[in-house]
Structure formats: structure tokens, C-alpha cells
């Protein structure tokens, strides 16, 4: 008897946008979209790395208007459907309406794990536009399980058809993913998804844990192309889940071909677990902290890893960048006291 | 209460030898050895990638005599002990005696998973030379669990103090690692080890499974430097096991420093999961098959992945390279019959 089936959603053309500094061209998007479609990947995402409307000085300018990229991707699809990412506060109503005109069929509305309440309008808008509408709880490691359930229920109450546990920092351990996905399965009627990052070399293990716990959607990226050390590797997932006895509906050779013949050639560098991505996963902090931390470490003569780990313990969130300098100063004082 | 402790054995300077085409210099070895020693890594291995005596036209010539490299590594160690790898048929008695003179304190005698019986003399020699002596069962996915137990018992009967489950092709799933390590724990009195490869992005998950099942030794490599898609990443292991509540005795910052400041600069290219390494893990074949398969695929106009997967199903072993062309011819015939 075959095991339960689930969907692999590829994020190469969205999370991978970070890794190429939002430089995707229309031709690159067409090639990747065509490859994914022909390989049998049913859903894939196309947006600026920070979601619709992300193209800006703050988040990085896109080389090509994302609506053109969405249109091109949709144009290549015979079966696959294109998803877009929307972060309330970055993307607006008109962006989503434009994405629908460009042919998008799914929206994932993303908030910090404790801030689902800012997403009511966007979830309702997605439903009203006839999209498959998904809630995406980012930095999921920063909330205890009870809080995660509460926030997922909010998303469900607004109309989300799937709620994702999103391990943005690649900080979760497999047993923690299992616990979180199982808890959402137990407490929600809608479906559950998982999005992993490989900062601790556990993206694949976490994705398996999610599927075993009942996730209906799991994200992957060709050649891991994504923020930090990248995502769960889509083409490897196809092989691993086949070995584990699941039906993915994906043609292994074809998905390997688009990974190795197309995406590998687009990548500015391979995805590795370097010093900063490892510390991000270990400390569970935002990638946006890295730059300021580097400066603060220099200024106060302390190891930047100690700053990040301290920020992780404090559960600092985006917007609290001032804290970085305070923490650096404290560590410097403590170090001097030890001498 | 702290969890059971275990040993991380670093193989950067042995498995990584494959990745740098056996080009390690004495200075590189000194830097890596010093970094590992100062980070608190208790054991690490220095040898040609194919073990002592591997330097040859067939296996690749070493740039520097491995005895010089072992000596240099030992010279840098204040606490760590240096291991060497010995494959019966490649390395000989004199090689091991020379390694002992150079300061090696541990030997791992490696055979195919069904051929432990060729290693009696080498295990006995290791014990007689006063070395910590380990049996290393390679391509462990190719034997059913009963066979693995039988072979491990042979190693134990010869005097091995540890027997390793060695996932040479990166083909095992975490539940398979758990089953194998647990079986050896149940049936042997000696200790059990695990050596993983990342071909299916599961090296870290498999290493956790091994430790949870009672492995006392697990291998890692800095920045994954090793054959195929490389090994479990040593510095990431230090972070992950700390997060899981284990005591590794390793200083996270220091092991990161040697990985990122030393090893990253030696690497000719980052370790990735490419087409060939993925198919190796998926099909479970020898890396030595890749070259011939490439030729056979061209000659018969078939997809080389199909040849490798067929060889995997047939459980072909090293030395059966003729089979590659037969398999290619068969696939070609079948393909033509389908047209």
C-alpha cells in the first residue's frame, strides 16, 4: 500500500531570489518554470524574495518587474500552478490583484509567528480573488507550541486553507518540527505545511519529520537556492521520498535536469553552511541582524557570534536593531571584568 | 541531567583527501590539525583518501608522502590523537608500522560490508602495535541487518574495539541507520561507530540517528570536505548536538574558525549534492562506477542514471565494471523495444 501523498512546492524562483540578489531574468524564469512544470511539480512560487512589492532599496531592487516574471512563469505551465508570497506591510492589495491578472493561483500570506493578526485582510482578499490561500508563520521556532497553535487558528479563522510552519532561520530540530506539525494537525481542520532552511544541515530531516507528522505541503528549492544556507533541496526530496515509499508525482530525472542544467548555472555560488548561516540557525536570529552585528562587534571588540547568540536568547525580533549595540556593549563589559 | 557523551572523529584530512585530489600540503595539514586539536576534537584521521598506501596511479598520487603528513599532524596535537585508515589490499603491514612511528594512535581497518574476513591480520596487527583498533564496514547499505551483525562480529572476534557502520554511498535513511546501529549495539560487546555521507542530504539526520541509537563514535568533516557530496559537517555537528543536549567537548567557535578560516580556503570547490552524487546515494552504487557508466551511456545512447540505478538493484560491487556495459546494452534494447 502506498503512503499518503503530499505536495512539494518549489520556491527556487522566490526564496532563491535572495540568493541571486533579485536578478532573475525572464528567460531564466521561463527555463526554471518549464522544467518544474514538465517534471510534475504541481506548485511553485514566483515573487521577490521578500514577497510581492519587495523590490525596493530596503529589500533589494528586482532586475525585472516581478509581474513580468509571474506572467512568464504562468505562460510556461501546462499543469503547475504559480504561487506568490505576500508580506503585509510590504506588498499591498494592488500587488496581489496584479499577480492574479498575471495568472497566479495561490497566495501565501506571511507574518512573524506571533503576528498572524495583521493578516486578516490579506487572507480574505486571497479568498475573494479565488486563490488557494495559505498562512505562513515565519520564524516558527520563536513561539512555544501553544502560541503557534493560537496563531495558526487565527489564520484558519480568516479563511486560510493551509497554515505553514516556517523555519526561517533553519533553527528547528526534527523532533521540534514533528511536535509543531502534529500540534497543528491536532488543533486545526485545515491543512498544514512546512518550509525549511538548511542552516543546521537538517532541512531534509525536518521535511521528512513534517511529512511523517502529516504535512500536506512541504517546500523545496532546486540546488537549495534560497536565503541563508538555502532550502530543502527539491530534486533530492524527490529521490528521498521515493525511497521512503511516498508518491510525489515528480519525475526524478526531469527535476534533476532543471536543477543541474538550469539552476546550477544561474547560481552565483553554491549554497553552503558557512559561519554566519550556522550561527543564524544555532542562535535563531534574523538574517537582517547580521550586518549590524558585524559593525557592533567591530566597534566593541567582541565576537559577533556571542552577540547573535545573546540576541537569540533574548528572542529579539526585527525592528530591535538598537538592541544589538546594547548587547555588544554588555558583552564587552563582561569580557573586561573577566580579564 | 546531561545526555550520554560520544566522540566526534574528524576525517577532513583523510576523506577530504579525495576532494582535493590528494594534494594536501604539510602546512595545510598542520593548520587543520592545530585547529582541530585546539577546538577539543579528540580524534582525527590523516591518510590518503583510500587509506595508507593509497598514493598510486590507480587511486591518485599524493602530493606529499602521507607519513610526513601524519607526523606533521601529530606534531601539532596537544590532546588529540591521530587515526589512520587501512584497506587490506591497498595498505600493507609496513605502512601501518610506519604510521605508528609517525605517531598514529588509532587504526581503522576498512572492508566492504561483506568482507570483514579479509581483515583479521590487520586488526590483530593494530592491537599488537598498541593502537586503538577499529573495524570499518563500508557500503553498509548493501547488506541486510543480519549480515551486518555477522560481519561486525567477525571484526569483534579479531579484536576490534569499535565497529563502524559506514554509509559510503550516502544511501541510508535515518531509520535504517538506527536499525543498524541498534542491532550492532544489541549483538556486540564492543563499541559502535557511524560514518555518513551527504548524497541524499541526510548525513546530519543519520548521525543523530546513530548517536540516539548508541553510537560512541561518529565521523564528521569540516565544511563537509570529503568524497562525493562530502561528510557530515563537523562544525555543524558541534552546534546541533549541543542544541540536542549532548556534551561534545568541542568549542563551537574554535571548530568554526578552523572550518571557515582554514578549510574553506583549501577547498577547490564547495561540497554540493550534484547529479552524480544524488544518483550515487539514490542507487547505492560505488563512485568508481561513475566514469565507466558515463562512457557506457554514451556508447549505447541511454541515460547514465538508468544504468546506475539498475546496477544498484543488482547490488553490483567494485570489480564488476564489465557489468556496466551489459546493463547499458540491455537498457538500450529495452528502450528500442518500447519505441
Amino acid at each position: 500500500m502506498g503512503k499518503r501523498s503530499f505536495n512539494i512546492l518549489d520556491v527556487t524562483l522566490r526564496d532563491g531570489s535572495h540568493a541571486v540578489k533579485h536578478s532573475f531574468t525572464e528567460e531564466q524564469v521561463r527555463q526554471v518554470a518549464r522544467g518544474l512544470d514538465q517534471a510534475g511539480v504541481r506548485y511553485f512560487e514566483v515573487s521577490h524574495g521578500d514577497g510581492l512589492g519587495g523590490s525596493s532599496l530596503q529589500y533589494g531592487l528586482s532586475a525585472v518587474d516581478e509581474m513580468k516574471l509571474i506572467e512568464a512563469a504562468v505562460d510556461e505551465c501546462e499543469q503547475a500552478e504559480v504561487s506568490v508570497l505576500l508580506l503585509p506591510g510590504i506588498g499591498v492589495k494592488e500587488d496581489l490583484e496584479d499577480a492574479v491578472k498575471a495568472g497566479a493561483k495561490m497566495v501565501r500570506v506571511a507574518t512573524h509567528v506571533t503576528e498572524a493578526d495583521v493578516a486578516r485582510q490579506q487572507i480574505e482578499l486571497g479568498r475573494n480573488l479565488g486563490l488557494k490561500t495559505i498562512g505562513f508563520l515565519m520564524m516558527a521556532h520563536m513561539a512555544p507550541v501553544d502560541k503557534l497553535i493560537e496563531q495558526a487558528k487565527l489564520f484558519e479563522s480568516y479563511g486560510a486553507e493551509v497554515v505553514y510552519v516556517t523555519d526561517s532561520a533553519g533553527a528547528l530540530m526534527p523532533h521540534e518540527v514533528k511536535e509543531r506539525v502534529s500540534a497543528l494537525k491536532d488543533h486545526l481542520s485545515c491543512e498544514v505545511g512546512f518550509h525549511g532552511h538548511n542552516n543546521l544541515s537538517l532541512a531534509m530531516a525536518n521535511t521528512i519529520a513534517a511529512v511523517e507528522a502529516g504535512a500536506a505541503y512541504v517546500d523545496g528549492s532546486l540546488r537549495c537556492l534560497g536565503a541563508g544556507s538555502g532550502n530543502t533541496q527539491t530534486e533530492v526530496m524527490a529521490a528521498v521520498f521515493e525511497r521512503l515509499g511516498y508518491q510525489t508525482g515528480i519525475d526524478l530525472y526531469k527535476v534533476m535536469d532543471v536543477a543541474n542544467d538550469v539552476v546550477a548555472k544561474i547560481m552565483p555560488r553554491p549554497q553552503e553552511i558557512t559561519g554566519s548561516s550556522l550561527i543564524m540557525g544555532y542562535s535563531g536570529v534574523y538574517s537582517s541582524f547580521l550586518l549590524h552585528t558585524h559593525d557592533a562587534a567591530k566597534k566593541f571588540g567582541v565576537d559577533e557570534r556571542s552577540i547573535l547568540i545573546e540576541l537569540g536568547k533574548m528572542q529579539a525580533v526585527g525592528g530591535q536593531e538598537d538592541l544589538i549595540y546594547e548587547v555588544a556593549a554588555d558583552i564587552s563589559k563582561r569580557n573586561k571584568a573577566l580579564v
Side-chain angles (χ1 to χ4, degrees), chain A:
Chain A
M1 199 188 71
K3 292 194 186 179
R4 192 178 50 78
S5 72
F6 61 93
N7 296 294
I8 292 176
L9 189 155
D10 186 87
V11 297
T12 309
L13 297 173
R14 199 278 303 163
D15 215 319
S17 169
H18 291 295
V20 301
K21 295 192 178 157
H22 319 295
S23 68
F24 284 132
T25 65
E26 190 182 318
E27 182 51 29
Q28 288 171 342
V29 166
R30 282 188 180 275
Q31 287 179 16
V32 175
R34 194 183 313 143
L36 287 168
D37 181 66
Q38 291 179 357
V41 174
R42 184 141 170 230
Y43 304 101
F44 65 90
E45 194 158 79
V46 185
S47 303
H48 183 280
D50 295 291
L52 296 177
S55 179
S56 61
L57 286 177
Q58 188 178 357
Y59 298 109
L61 289 165
S62 297
V64 178
D65 178 0
E66 63 192 334
M67 294 304 160
K68 281 214 165 63
L69 300 181
I70 294 166
E71 236 169 38
V74 168
D75 185 49
E76 294 293 338
C77 291
E78 290 186 12
Q79 303 185 18
E81 299 193 334
V82 170
S83 168
V84 293
L85 184 74
L86 179 67
L87 274 72
I90 298 180
V92 296
K93 184 166 179 273
E94 289 69 28
D95 293 322
L96 190 57
E97 289 167 347
D98 287 347
V100 171
K101 281 179 207 148
K105 299 288 185 207
M106 177 191 276
V107 61
R108 306 203 294 177
V109 180
T111 74
H112 183 68
V113 64
T114 56
E115 295 173 5
D117 62 339
V118 305
R120 176 194 283 272
Q121 284 184 318
Q122 288 80 358
I123 293 285
E124 289 174 353
L125 177 64
R127 293 299 300 264
N128 288 337
L129 290 169
L131 297 168
K132 176 112 185 167
T133 302
I134 294 178
F136 205 66
L137 289 166
M138 298 189 292
M139 300 292 276
H141 71 283
M142 290 187 77
V145 176
D146 284 355
K147 186 74 181 174
L148 184 74
I149 295 168
E150 172 204 293
Q151 296 291 306
K153 280 187 169 174
L154 279 181
F155 261 132
E156 186 178 38
S157 74
Y158 304 152
E161 295 157 273
V162 186
V163 178
Y164 259 72
V165 176
T166 303
D167 184 19
S168 316
L172 289 173
M173 300 283 118
H175 69 276
E176 295 171 329
V177 172
K178 186 182 170 190
E179 189 186 8
R180 280 161 176 73
V181 171
S182 299
L184 297 198
K185 286 291 293 177
D186 287 348
H187 289 87
L188 302 178
S189 309
C190 71
E191 291 182 302
V192 178
F194 175 74
H195 172 98
H197 278 270
N198 203 36
N199 300 60
L200 294 179
S201 202
L202 288 168
M204 187 63 69
N206 285 344
T207 303
I208 295 171
V211 168
E212 287 178 347
Y217 289 81
V218 286
D219 288 6
S221 180
L222 298 164
R223 291 294 283 247
C224 305
L225 196 73
S229 24
N231 299 94
T232 319
Q233 197 166 340
T234 300
E235 70 277 20
V236 184
M237 284 169 69
V240 166
F241 281 105
E242 204 180 305
R243 283 280 309 277
L244 291 173
Y246 290 90
Q247 307 287 333
T248 66
I250 295 177
D251 183 305
L252 179 60
Y253 293 178
K254 287 182 181 168
V255 76
M256 286 178 69
D257 286 343
V258 59
N260 300 318
D261 299 344
V262 179
V263 174
K265 286 164 190 164
I266 297 173
M267 297 170 76
R269 72 189 64 77
Q271 297 283 168
E272 293 180 281
I273 304 175
T274 61
S276 54
S277 52
L278 170 52
I279 285 294
M280 254 189 72
Y282 178 74
S283 63
V285 299
Y286 283 70
S287 56
S288 60
F289 285 6
L290 292 178
L291 191 65
H292 289 288
T293 300
H294 190 72
D295 292 344
K298 257 193 180 164
K299 186 172 166 190
F300 291 96
V302 300
D303 193 311
E304 58 188 286
R305 296 173 290 201
S306 304
I307 304 174
L308 291 166
I309 289 167
E310 191 64 31
L311 290 165
K313 283 185 193 151
M314 298 168 74
Q315 301 240 319
V317 296
Q320 294 188 297
E321 281 75 10
D322 287 351
L323 214 54
I324 295 171
Y325 293 88
E326 288 174 34
V327 167
D330 281 351
I331 294 172
S332 168
K333 258 184 238 161
R334 259 184 281 154
N335 287 351
K336 279 174 193 152
L338 287 173
V339 174

